[in-house]
Amino acid sequence: MRPFAYTRAETVGEAVAALAADPDAQILAGGTNLVDLMKYDVARPGAVVDINRLPLKEIEELQDGALRIGALVSNTAVAYDERVREKFPLLSSAILAGASPQLRNAATTGGNLLQRTRCYYFYDPSTPCNKRQSGSGCGAIGGVNRIHAILGASEHCIAVHPSDMCVALAALEAIVEVQGPEGPREIAFADFHRLPGDMPERDNTLAQGEMVTGIRLEANHFAPHHTYLKIRDRLSYAFALVSVAVAMEIDRGRIVDLRLALGGVAHKPWRDPLAEAEFAGATADEMTFGRIAERLLTGAKGQGGNDFKIPLAKKAIIRALKQAAAGRPQDQTIKAIQ
C-alpha cells in the first residue's frame, strides 16, 4: 500500500472540498472495496477522505410513500428496515443475495454504487487493463472471460458491474442524490453508471469533487409481484453470473407495468425500458416471458468463455418473471432457485 494523505471530514462541505482539491482523492466509508484495491496496488489515491462522521446514516420517510436512504446507511440496515421490506422488498431481497453478513454490516449504500468491477485483469497490475491503465489493452478479450459482459461491451473493456443492490435500484428507477462544488444535484439511476465505450476507466457520471449523499425511492405498486433471482457458481458469497431483478404490476392476468434489470452481464445494471414497454397489456404467461427474454437479449454477444451466459440469461429471465407473476419471490434465506 502506497503513502497517502488522510482527511476526516466533519461536514459534507469539507468532504466535497477535499475531493475537489485533489483529482486523485477517494472516499473511505465502509472500505470493503477501496481497502482491498489499495492493498493490491490497483487503487493509488493521493488522498483518502473519510466520511464516516457525516450525517448520512438515516432512512427518511418522505411524502407520498417515498424513502430517502443516506449514503452511509449500511447494507444490512437497508435490507432489514421494515419500511424497505414493506414498500421496496425487491431492494431488500437483492441486498440479502449479495456478499456475506459481515460485509453487509460494513458496506454502505453509497459505496455499493461506487464499487469497482471484480474482473481478474483489473485486480492484477501485472496484466493489461484499460480500466486500470488507459491504453494498456483488455486482457479479458481473448483471455479468461467466463464472468464477463455479453451486453453493452466495447473493444476496450468487457468487465461487468458486480453489485446486486444496484440491479434492484435500476429496476426501481431510484434517484441518486449528489453534492459537489457547484451544489446538490440529482441523477436518474439509469444515467449514473456508464457503459465502457472508449473510456472504461470511468465507471459513473460523477463530476470532479462530487460525492453521493443518498438514494431516493419513489412509491410504486410492485411489492406484490417482484423477485431477485441470482445465478452464481455457489449459493453463498459469490458474484452473479447472471442476476435478474423484476418489478411487475399485473391486473387480471395482464402486464400493466414491467421493469426488469439484469446484473452480471454488462458494465452497468442492464435495462431496456423501450423493450419493457412493448409488453404492456400482454398476458403474463410463459410464452410472453419467453418473448420478453428474447427481446431483452437482442444483441447479446459472448467472448468465448462466457458464451453460456446468453442461454443462461434467457432461462433466468423466464424463471424470474414466473416467480414475480406468481407472487412468489426468490427466498434469499434458502438461496436455492425456486
Side-chain angles (χ1 to χ4, degrees):
M1 189 178 292
R2 303 186 182 218
F4 57 88
Y6 175 81
T7 299
R8 177 174 284 168
E10 301 291 341
T11 66
V12 172
E14 286 183 13
V16 168
L19 291 171
D22 186 345
D24 294 323
Q26 294 196 38
I27 287 176
L28 175 67
T32 57
N33 190 204
L34 176 62
V35 173
D36 281 347
L37 291 173
M38 292 174 69
K39 288 179 178 178
Y40 284 116
D41 200 29
V42 174
R44 304 172 181 178
V48 171
V49 183
D50 187 335
I51 65 169
N52 282 290
R53 291 188 177 180
L54 302 187
L56 303 174
K57 300 179 180 180
E58 301 295 328
I59 298 177
E60 178 185 1
E61 292 189 73
L62 306 175
Q63 293 181 346
D64 301 322
L67 286 183
R68 175 181 290 118
I69 302 171
L72 290 175
V73 180
S74 73
N75 285 179
T76 296
V78 175
Y80 289 109
D81 185 273
E82 287 302 320
R83 295 161 295 184
V84 174
R85 291 165 71 98
E86 177 186 354
K87 299 177 180 179
F88 306 98
L90 175 60
L91 176 57
S92 176
S93 181
I95 292 173
L96 293 175
S100 65
Q102 295 89 342
L103 282 170
R104 293 195 297 266
N105 288 342
T108 63
T109 299
N112 196 301
L113 267 65
L114 299 171
Q115 65 180 299
R116 309 299 305 277
T117 183
R118 264 52 177 196
C119 172
Y120 316 124
Y121 298 93
F122 176 72
Y123 264 77
D124 184 355
S126 69
T127 64
C129 173
N130 286 322
K131 181 175 284 296
R132 180 171 24 81
Q133 183 179 353
S134 181
S136 63
C138 176
I141 297 177
V144 179
N145 50 45
R146 182 173 184 273
I147 66 172
H148 288 75
I150 57 173
L151 291 163
S154 77
E155 62 182 351
H156 302 285
C157 181
I158 59 172
V160 299
H161 196 273
S163 173
D164 291 293
M165 184 188 83
C166 287
V167 184
L169 290 175
L172 293 170
E173 296 187 346
I175 301 295
V176 184
E177 299 179 342
V178 306
Q179 181 84 22
E182 305 300 319
R185 71 180 177 113
E186 297 180 346
I187 306 174
F189 202 84
D191 299 327
F192 183 78
H193 296 104
R194 298 181 66 258
L195 292 177
D198 59 1
M199 297 180 65
E201 68 275 14
R202 290 195 61 192
D203 290 337
N204 56 64
T205 56
L206 288 176
Q208 174 66 39
E210 286 188 324
M211 62 173 285
V212 175
T213 57
I215 291 288
R216 192 172 74 250
L217 294 167
E218 302 295 342
N220 61 62
H221 302 286
F222 298 129
H225 297 286
H226 76 278
T227 197
Y228 186 73
L229 180 62
K230 181 176 181 178
I231 312 298
R232 45 194 155 181
D233 285 321
R234 58 184 185 272
L235 291 182
S236 177
Y237 197 54
F239 295 104
L241 294 170
V242 174
S243 63
V244 188
V246 177
M248 300 176 73
E249 185 178 353
I250 297 176
D251 182 33
R252 288 173 288 186
R254 294 190 176 274
I255 298 171
V256 176
D257 194 1
L258 169 66
R259 299 181 192 173
L260 192 153
L262 300 176
V265 299
H267 199 256
K268 60 183 286 187
W270 186 266
R271 270 192 73 202
D272 188 342
L274 292 178
E276 296 166 2
E278 291 177 12
F279 294 92
T283 304
D285 59 19
E286 188 163 358
M287 182 176 295
T288 297
F289 300 158
R291 291 168 51 215
I292 292 171
E294 292 282 358
R295 178 67 175 82
L296 290 173
L297 293 170
T298 300
K301 178 184 177 182
Q303 296 288 336
N306 68 346
D307 291 351
F308 73 96
K309 279 194 176 187
I310 299 174
L312 178 64
K314 180 179 179 180
K315 292 179 180 179
I317 292 169
I318 295 171
R319 177 66 63 88
L321 286 165
K322 290 170 67 175
Q323 289 182 351
R328 294 194 296 269
Q330 177 66 36
D331 188 331
Q332 304 302 347
T333 301
I334 298 173
K335 289 186 168 58
I337 298 172
Q338 297 165 207

